[in-house]
Amino acid sequence: MRLVAYDDCDDLLAGLRTATAKRVTPWGLDGPSLLQKVPDGALPAPESANGRALKGSQPPEHSGTNVHEAAADEPDVVKTDGRRIVVIARDGLRVIDPATRKVAHRLDLPGRQPERYPGGGGDSQLLLSGDRALVLTREYPMGFERQPDRVKPVPGHTRPRTRLTLVDLAGTPKVIGSMTSETEFVDARQTGSVARVVVKSRPRIDFPVEPHGGRSEQKAVERNRQLVRQAPLNAWLPKFEVRNGADVKSYTMPCGQVSRPASYTGTTMLSVLTVDLGKGLGDPEPAGVVADGQTVYGTGASLYVTGTPPQVITWGNATPKPVETRTDIHKFDVRGQGRPRYVASGSVQGDLLNQYSMSEHAGHLRVATTTTPMTSPESPDSPTASTAAPRSASAVRVLAQRGARLTAVGEAGGLGKGERIYSVRFIGPKAYVVTFRQIDPLYVLDLSDPARPRPTGELKITGYSAYLHPTADGKLLGVGQDADTKGRTLGTQVSLFDVAGAPRRVDTFRLPQSSAAAEFDPHAFLYWAKSGLTVIPVSRHTTGGGEALVLKVGPQGIDRSGTVRHPDAGSEVPVQILRSLVVGDTLWTISSEGARATSAATLDDQGWLRF
């Protein structure tokens, strides 16, 4: 992978047309060859402060969103600055006053009216800085119907859209600006009051709804290629409409801010936008790269976006031989408050689990991936046929920026042969990798020499950890599933590991027939280092009901403190607790139905607020 710049807008248009035409199918750009990997929905995982300080006295001590890097805050459905708790509810925004334990304000949000979007609505998260909240809404693309072999357009519906809504929280909350675009929201990171928002878009080319219309598939392909060759440049360049009161302005991605890797498809463009919550919405100063992206990792100084490129299929030819998956990595420099700068690209074999599979440390990027050979299975009648799973294996690679390239300078491979990565955590010069198929090997790797990363320890136990979190005394806490010796999962398992020397498990807590939300979304996990308070929302398989499991994690082990539940709303869907946070001496738990205040020390109920 290397960066290639465009000379001018004509060069950009010619390159996009040529690359996109090669990807056309009888269904336009939505054929079987373009069913892309679904974006990682998790907005993964120590506590961080939010933005500039409010005026007045210091707020009570409080937890923040569980994020990967302290310098890069992440969007979530709940945020607090200690003085207020801001929640994205089903029909809008709720502002809770933790001092009075009351819902102080309610605000309807644009883009969250399901009746406007048949079959769906707005999926929103928020960022918080001082008296401002930025609501990031992914408006679902209701214009497509997924079928077994393709994605079929449905007439009369809208394309995917991203809506940014800026809310003033000083006094009664009010919307003070919005930005909309025909893009798909990927993720965002915030440092201070500046948010970097990653979106992606596909060419706005109207292909016929009925792909064939009496034509052969090959003729349909040629017709669609001709439509691509005639498409104007603005079909690829995303446009952003900004509203501040009655003032409406439109901004388009400048040609000079678009780059591409040497190999690209032309069907997806990533854009990194800049929004300063303190200054309001204006020119988003986008920087673009013609590439796909699903996973975002940020450090405050660097922003990485990764994507798995689709397999190239030439329509009408024989199916190509399967190839191993690769992950492309694009790096942006986001230091300062101005436009982000696209600086380098690289590629590694295999695919990532989530953003925790990446870590920048001492000028290097560490990446953990799993590679599964895409080979056809042998005939069951073959004398050499084996019932073993494909020999997947995992590796940790260390990349360095060399000019415009991210180049591998070291690798520790062969981890978990026949297994996949289930969790990763990088802490300083160490890496902790969990793989699983039947048992859970926890690997410890020393990355202090980037050119010679090496495993230094391994622990094999039943079950696996899907999320790893460092504790205050240097141990490692794992949340995942217990399992038997054949790999059948049995329920939630929380493990405490001592990783100071050879890794060993200090203690385990198990909750049979349940699963923990933190297995899939680290934002659901709360660890309050001051007291060891650990809160994990779980779902019971037997009843479908949810509760917040409250544990106390200390140097010697894990103790169960109790559970917090929310009242049933009377619907057929059991209530699930989504988040928890600490403000002062109070533990707050949040569900779609409301918020509950509980004593963090005793778990005594202090009040229920129904939304």
Side-chain angles (χ1 to χ4, degrees), residues 447-501:
L447 310 178
S448 55
D449 183 351
R452 295 176 178 82
R454 59 189 181 89
T456 59
E458 178 182 348
L459 174 66
K460 291 187 177 182
I461 53 178
T462 55
Y464 61 85
S465 296
Y467 174 67
L468 298 171
H469 193 91
T471 65
D473 58 347
K475 292 184 173 61
L476 196 63
L477 194 66
V479 180
Q481 285 284 306
D482 186 19
D484 61 21
T485 55
K486 295 184 178 180
R488 290 189 290 256
T489 57
L490 304 174
T492 300
Q493 177 174 267
V494 183
S495 302
L496 183 64
F497 301 102
D498 186 339
V499 290

Side-chain angles (χ1 to χ4, degrees), residues 284-308:
E285 299 184 295
V289 54
V290 185
D292 194 14
Q294 293 102 20
T295 304
V296 173
Y297 163 67
T299 66
S302 302
L303 188 75
Y304 295 89
V305 186
T306 75
T308 303

